[in-house]
Amino acid sequence: MKPRVLITYNIFRDVYKEVLKDFEIIMPAEGIETFTLEDVLPVVDSFDAILSMWNFPINKQLLDAAKNLKIVSNYAVGYDNIDVVYATRCGVTVANTPDPVTEPTADIAMGLMLSLMRRIVDCDNMLREKKLEWGIMKNLGTSLYGKQLGILGMGRIGKAVARRALASGMTIAYHNRNRLTAIEEKLYSAKYMSLDELVATSDVLSLNAPLTSETYHVIDAKRLATMKPDAFLINTARGPLVDEKALIEALRNGTIKGAGLDVFETGESVCDELLALPNTVLVPHIGTQTVETRREMAEFAAGNIVNFFNGGRVARVNKF
Ligand code: GLV
């Protein structure tokens, strides 16, 4: 009997059919975007693998019901939708898609930085609305060159942001759970700092850490108050790393100069207070939203499942 794979989100049917040709796959019918937890719970015990979208909850209730589940392959590098501790206890391998998402996410971090600091979106809006005043000393932005970029989370994406920022003449400081090796620090010209020093000294702070209980609201009112008044915050990681209410206050009262956000505490919506702030650039979680990356993520997520059953490389996030 072929192993059975449940795919929660209806994209790339062609990719899944091809890569998972030796598996029986079940995914939402044409025209239906996604399965819900309620759809899945009554049938999940018959599946060996789940290919889950990043906002599909792989929680205790589902894991208890999934008696035959061996692997969850998440369509994302982030896996805060999955109860990894409980999955590990249940003997379920959890895998993600780190390789395809690194470069496009770093592009968006850099794009937000440039748009915000050089006022690209701001000037574009004013031009279209015929509100822009031309003039040598008008519409002044902030140079990236020579500024300190602080990277919180110096994993693959953090390093890819560092490479781009180095090319723009920025200096790199970072904080990470585990300090890089001396060789890597030299490779990225990156100076290790405590979290508090990083926050207080950076001209731009880029968040590139996963959402965990330790990083929840890691940027809160207290830390925002220690940032430079002309500093910028860039978040392409997960919304809840930042206390959004505190950020809105900080942007309103000039505690910091601006924020570029790809992710929000409210998930797939943006609160009106943020929308009303002129010193923000806001995009709808498009860090990995390119034609190429979306397909590569599907291939990678499906490949994790094939490799798990065939003994190949799996990008696992838990160990037994
Ligand atoms: C996207 O947000 C991802 O985690 O891959």
Side-chain angles (χ1 to χ4, degrees), residues 50-98:
I50 297 179
L51 195 158
S52 49
M53 186 45 63
W54 63 61
N55 52 6
F56 186 92
I58 306 289
N59 56 18
K60 192 165 183 297
Q61 189 185 16
L62 180 133
L63 288 161
D64 278 339
K67 299 282 180 235
N68 291 299
L69 189 62
K70 294 155 192 79
I71 176 169
V72 177
S73 182
N74 213 36
Y75 185 100
V77 70
Y79 44 87
D80 43 287
N81 58 313
I82 301 175
D83 186 339
V84 178
V85 173
Y86 197 67
T88 308
R89 207 181 303 163
C90 298
V92 173
T93 292
V94 177
N96 65 350
T97 60

Coordinates of all heavy atoms in Angstrom, one line a residue, residues 50-98:
I50 N 1.7 14.6 6.6 CA 1.0 15.8 6.3 C 1.9 16.8 5.7 O 3.0 17.1 6.2 CB 0.3 16.4 7.6 CG1 -0.7 15.4 8.2 CG2 -0.4 17.7 7.3 CD1 -1.3 15.9 9.5
L51 N 1.5 17.5 4.6 CA 2.2 18.6 4.1 C 1.4 19.8 4.4 O 0.3 20.0 3.9 CB 2.4 18.5 2.6 CG 3.5 19.4 2.0 CD1 4.0 18.8 0.6 CD2 3.0 20.8 1.7
S52 N 1.8 20.6 5.5 CA 1.0 21.6 6.0 C 1.4 23.0 5.6 O 2.6 23.3 5.5 CB 1.0 21.6 7.6 OG 2.4 21.5 8.0
M53 N 0.4 23.9 5.4 CA 0.7 25.3 5.2 C 1.0 25.9 6.5 O 0.7 25.4 7.6 CB -0.6 26.0 4.6 CG -0.4 27.4 4.1 SD 1.1 27.8 3.2 CE 0.9 26.8 1.7
W54 N 1.8 27.1 6.5 CA 2.4 27.6 7.7 C 1.3 28.1 8.7 O 1.7 28.4 9.9 CB 3.4 28.7 7.4 CG 2.8 29.9 6.7 CD1 1.8 30.8 7.2 CD2 3.2 30.4 5.5 NE1 1.6 31.8 6.3 CE2 2.4 31.6 5.2 CE3 4.2 30.0 4.5 CZ2 2.6 32.3 4.1 CZ3 4.3 30.8 3.4 CH2 3.5 31.9 3.2
N55 N 0.1 28.3 8.3 CA -0.9 28.7 9.3 C -1.9 27.6 9.6 O -2.9 27.9 10.2 CB -1.7 30.0 8.7 CG -2.2 29.8 7.3 OD1 -2.1 28.6 6.8 ND2 -2.7 30.8 6.7
F56 N -1.6 26.4 9.2 CA -2.5 25.3 9.6 C -2.0 24.7 10.9 O -0.9 24.3 11.1 CB -2.4 24.2 8.5 CG -3.4 23.1 8.7 CD1 -4.7 23.2 8.2 CD2 -3.1 22.0 9.6 CE1 -5.6 22.2 8.4 CE2 -4.0 21.0 9.8 CZ -5.3 21.1 9.2
P57 N -2.9 24.7 11.9 CA -2.5 24.3 13.3 C -2.2 22.8 13.4 O -3.2 21.9 13.3 CB -3.7 24.7 14.2 CG -4.8 24.7 13.3 CD -4.4 25.0 11.9
I58 N -1.0 22.4 13.6 CA -0.6 21.0 13.9 C -0.5 21.0 15.4 O 0.6 21.1 16.0 CB 0.7 20.6 13.2 CG1 0.6 20.8 11.7 CG2 1.0 19.1 13.5 CD1 -0.3 19.9 10.9
N59 N -1.6 20.9 16.1 CA -1.7 21.0 17.6 C -1.9 19.6 18.2 O -1.9 18.6 17.6 CB -2.8 22.0 18.0 CG -4.1 21.6 17.4 OD1 -4.3 20.4 17.1 ND2 -5.1 22.5 17.4
K60 N -2.0 19.7 19.6 CA -2.1 18.5 20.4 C -3.3 17.6 19.9 O -3.2 16.4 19.8 CB -2.2 18.9 21.8 CG -2.0 17.8 22.8 CD -1.8 18.4 24.2 CE -1.6 17.4 25.3 NZ -2.7 16.4 25.5
Q61 N -4.4 18.3 19.7 CA -5.6 17.6 19.3 C -5.4 16.9 18.0 O -5.8 15.7 17.9 CB -6.7 18.7 19.1 CG -8.1 18.1 18.9 CD -9.1 19.2 18.6 OE1 -8.8 20.3 18.3 NE2 -10.4 18.9 18.8
L62 N -4.8 17.5 17.0 CA -4.6 16.8 15.8 C -3.5 15.7 15.9 O -3.8 14.6 15.4 CB -4.0 17.8 14.7 CG -3.8 17.2 13.4 CD1 -4.4 18.0 12.2 CD2 -2.3 17.0 13.1
L63 N -2.5 15.9 16.7 CA -1.5 14.9 16.8 C -2.0 13.7 17.6 O -1.6 12.6 17.3 CB -0.2 15.5 17.5 CG 0.6 16.5 16.7 CD1 1.5 17.4 17.5 CD2 1.4 15.7 15.6
D64 N -2.9 13.9 18.5 CA -3.5 12.8 19.3 C -4.4 12.0 18.3 O -4.4 10.7 18.4 CB -4.4 13.3 20.4 CG -3.5 13.7 21.6 OD1 -2.4 13.1 21.8 OD2 -4.0 14.5 22.5
A65 N -5.0 12.7 17.4 CA -5.9 11.9 16.5 C -5.1 11.2 15.3 O -5.6 10.2 14.8 CB -6.9 12.9 15.8
A66 N -3.9 11.7 15.1 CA -3.2 11.2 13.9 C -2.3 10.0 14.3 O -1.1 10.1 14.4 CB -2.3 12.3 13.4
K67 N -3.0 8.9 14.5 CA -2.3 7.7 15.1 C -1.2 7.1 14.2 O -0.3 6.5 14.7 CB -3.4 6.6 15.3 CG -4.5 7.0 16.3 CD -4.0 6.9 17.7 CE -5.0 7.3 18.7 NZ -4.6 8.4 19.6
N68 N -1.3 7.3 12.9 CA -0.3 6.7 12.0 C 0.7 7.7 11.4 O 1.5 7.4 10.5 CB -1.0 6.0 10.8 CG -1.7 4.8 11.3 OD1 -1.1 3.9 11.9 ND2 -3.1 4.8 11.2
L69 N 0.6 9.0 11.9 CA 1.4 10.0 11.4 C 2.9 9.8 11.7 O 3.3 9.6 12.8 CB 0.9 11.4 11.9 CG 1.5 12.6 11.3 CD1 1.1 12.7 9.8 CD2 1.0 13.9 12.0
K70 N 3.7 10.0 10.7 CA 5.2 9.9 10.8 C 5.9 11.2 10.6 O 7.0 11.4 11.2 CB 5.7 8.8 9.9 CG 5.1 7.4 10.3 CD 5.1 6.4 9.1 CE 4.3 5.2 9.4 NZ 2.8 5.4 9.3
I71 N 5.4 12.0 9.7 CA 6.1 13.2 9.4 C 5.1 14.3 9.0 O 4.1 14.1 8.3 CB 7.1 13.0 8.2 CG1 7.8 14.4 7.8 CG2 6.5 12.3 7.0 CD1 9.0 14.3 6.9
V72 N 5.5 15.5 9.5 CA 4.8 16.7 9.1 C 5.8 17.6 8.3 O 6.9 17.9 8.9 CB 4.2 17.6 10.3 CG1 3.6 18.9 9.8 CG2 3.2 16.8 11.1
S73 N 5.6 17.9 7.1 CA 6.5 18.7 6.3 C 5.8 20.1 6.1 O 4.8 20.2 5.5 CB 6.8 18.1 5.0 OG 7.7 18.9 4.3
N74 N 6.3 21.1 6.8 CA 5.7 22.4 6.7 C 6.1 23.2 5.5 O 7.3 23.3 5.2 CB 6.0 23.2 8.0 CG 4.9 24.1 8.5 OD1 3.7 23.7 8.4 ND2 5.3 25.2 9.1
Y75 N 5.1 23.8 4.8 CA 5.4 24.7 3.7 C 5.9 26.0 4.2 O 5.1 27.0 4.2 CB 4.2 24.8 2.8 CG 4.3 25.5 1.5 CD1 4.5 24.8 0.3 CD2 4.3 26.9 1.5 CE1 4.6 25.5 -0.9 CE2 4.4 27.6 0.3 CZ 4.6 26.9 -0.9 OH 4.7 27.6 -2.1
A76 N 7.1 26.1 4.8 CA 7.6 27.4 5.3 C 8.9 27.0 6.1 O 9.1 25.9 6.4 CB 6.6 28.0 6.4
V77 N 9.7 28.1 6.3 CA 10.8 27.8 7.2 C 10.3 27.9 8.7 O 10.8 27.2 9.5 CB 12.0 28.8 6.9 CG1 11.7 30.2 7.3 CG2 13.3 28.4 7.6
G78 N 9.4 28.9 8.9 CA 8.8 29.0 10.3 C 7.9 27.8 10.6 O 7.2 27.3 9.7
Y79 N 7.9 27.4 11.8 CA 7.0 26.3 12.2 C 6.3 26.6 13.5 O 6.0 25.7 14.3 CB 7.7 25.0 12.2 CG 9.1 25.0 12.9 CD1 9.2 24.9 14.2 CD2 10.2 25.3 12.1 CE1 10.5 24.9 14.8 CE2 11.5 25.4 12.7 CZ 11.6 25.2 14.1 OH 12.8 25.3 14.7
D80 N 6.0 27.8 13.7 CA 5.3 28.2 15.0 C 3.8 27.7 15.0 O 3.1 27.8 16.0 CB 5.4 29.7 15.2 CG 5.1 30.5 14.0 OD1 6.0 30.5 13.1 OD2 4.1 31.1 13.9
N81 N 3.3 27.2 13.8 CA 2.0 26.6 13.8 C 2.0 25.2 14.3 O 0.9 24.6 14.4 CB 1.5 26.6 12.3 CG 2.4 25.9 11.4 OD1 3.6 26.1 11.4 ND2 1.9 25.0 10.5
I82 N 3.2 24.7 14.6 CA 3.3 23.2 15.0 C 3.7 23.1 16.4 O 4.7 23.8 16.8 CB 4.3 22.5 14.0 CG1 3.9 22.6 12.6 CG2 4.5 21.0 14.4 CD1 4.9 22.1 11.6
D83 N 3.0 22.3 17.2 CA 3.5 22.0 18.5 C 4.6 21.0 18.4 O 4.4 19.7 18.5 CB 2.3 21.4 19.3 CG 2.7 21.2 20.8 OD1 3.9 21.1 21.1 OD2 1.7 21.2 21.6
V84 N 5.8 21.5 18.2 CA 7.0 20.6 18.0 C 7.3 19.7 19.2 O 7.7 18.5 19.0 CB 8.2 21.4 17.5 CG1 9.4 20.5 17.3 CG2 7.9 22.2 16.3
V85 N 7.2 20.3 20.3 CA 7.5 19.5 21.5 C 6.6 18.3 21.6 O 7.0 17.1 21.8 CB 7.3 20.4 22.8 CG1 7.5 19.5 24.1 CG2 8.4 21.5 22.8
Y86 N 5.3 18.5 21.4 CA 4.3 17.4 21.5 C 4.5 16.4 20.3 O 4.4 15.2 20.4 CB 2.9 17.9 21.5 CG 1.9 16.8 22.0 CD1 2.0 16.4 23.3 CD2 1.0 16.3 21.1 CE1 1.1 15.4 23.8 CE2 0.1 15.3 21.6 CZ 0.2 14.8 22.9 OH -0.6 13.8 23.3
A87 N 4.8 17.0 19.1 CA 5.1 16.1 17.9 C 6.3 15.2 18.2 O 6.2 14.0 17.9 CB 5.4 16.9 16.7
T88 N 7.3 15.7 18.9 CA 8.5 14.9 19.2 C 8.1 13.8 20.2 O 8.5 12.7 20.0 CB 9.6 15.9 19.8 OG1 9.8 17.0 18.9 CG2 10.9 15.1 20.0
R89 N 7.3 14.2 21.1 CA 6.8 13.2 22.1 C 6.0 12.1 21.4 O 6.1 10.9 21.8 CB 6.0 13.9 23.2 CG 6.0 13.1 24.5 CD 5.2 13.7 25.6 NE 5.5 15.1 25.9 CZ 4.7 15.9 26.6 NH1 3.6 15.5 27.0 NH2 5.1 17.2 26.8
C90 N 5.3 12.4 20.4 CA 4.5 11.5 19.6 C 5.4 10.7 18.6 O 4.8 9.9 17.8 CB 3.4 12.1 18.9 SG 2.2 13.0 19.9
G91 N 6.7 11.0 18.5 CA 7.5 10.4 17.5 C 7.3 10.8 16.1 O 7.6 10.1 15.1
V92 N 6.7 12.0 16.0 CA 6.5 12.6 14.6 C 7.6 13.5 14.2 O 7.9 14.5 14.9 CB 5.1 13.3 14.6 CG1 4.9 14.0 13.2 CG2 4.0 12.3 14.9
T93 N 8.2 13.2 13.1 CA 9.3 14.1 12.5 C 8.6 15.4 12.0 O 7.6 15.4 11.3 CB 10.0 13.4 11.4 OG1 10.8 12.3 12.0 CG2 11.0 14.3 10.7
V94 N 9.2 16.5 12.3 CA 8.8 17.8 11.8 C 9.9 18.4 10.9 O 11.0 18.4 11.2 CB 8.5 18.8 12.9 CG1 8.0 20.2 12.3 CG2 7.4 18.3 13.8
A95 N 9.5 18.7 9.7 CA 10.4 19.3 8.7 C 9.9 20.6 8.1 O 8.7 20.9 8.2 CB 10.6 18.2 7.6
N96 N 10.9 21.4 7.6 CA 10.5 22.7 7.0 C 11.2 22.9 5.7 O 11.8 22.0 5.2 CB 10.8 23.8 8.0 CG 12.3 24.0 8.4 OD1 13.1 23.1 8.0 ND2 12.6 25.0 9.1
T97 N 11.1 24.1 5.2 CA 11.7 24.4 3.8 C 12.7 25.5 3.9 O 12.5 26.6 3.3 CB 10.6 24.8 2.8 OG1 9.9 26.0 3.4 CG2 9.5 23.7 2.7
P98 N 13.8 25.3 4.6 CA 14.8 26.4 4.8 C 15.4 26.9 3.5 O 15.6 28.1 3.2 CB 15.8 25.9 5.7 CG 15.7 24.4 5.7 CD 14.3 24.1 5.3

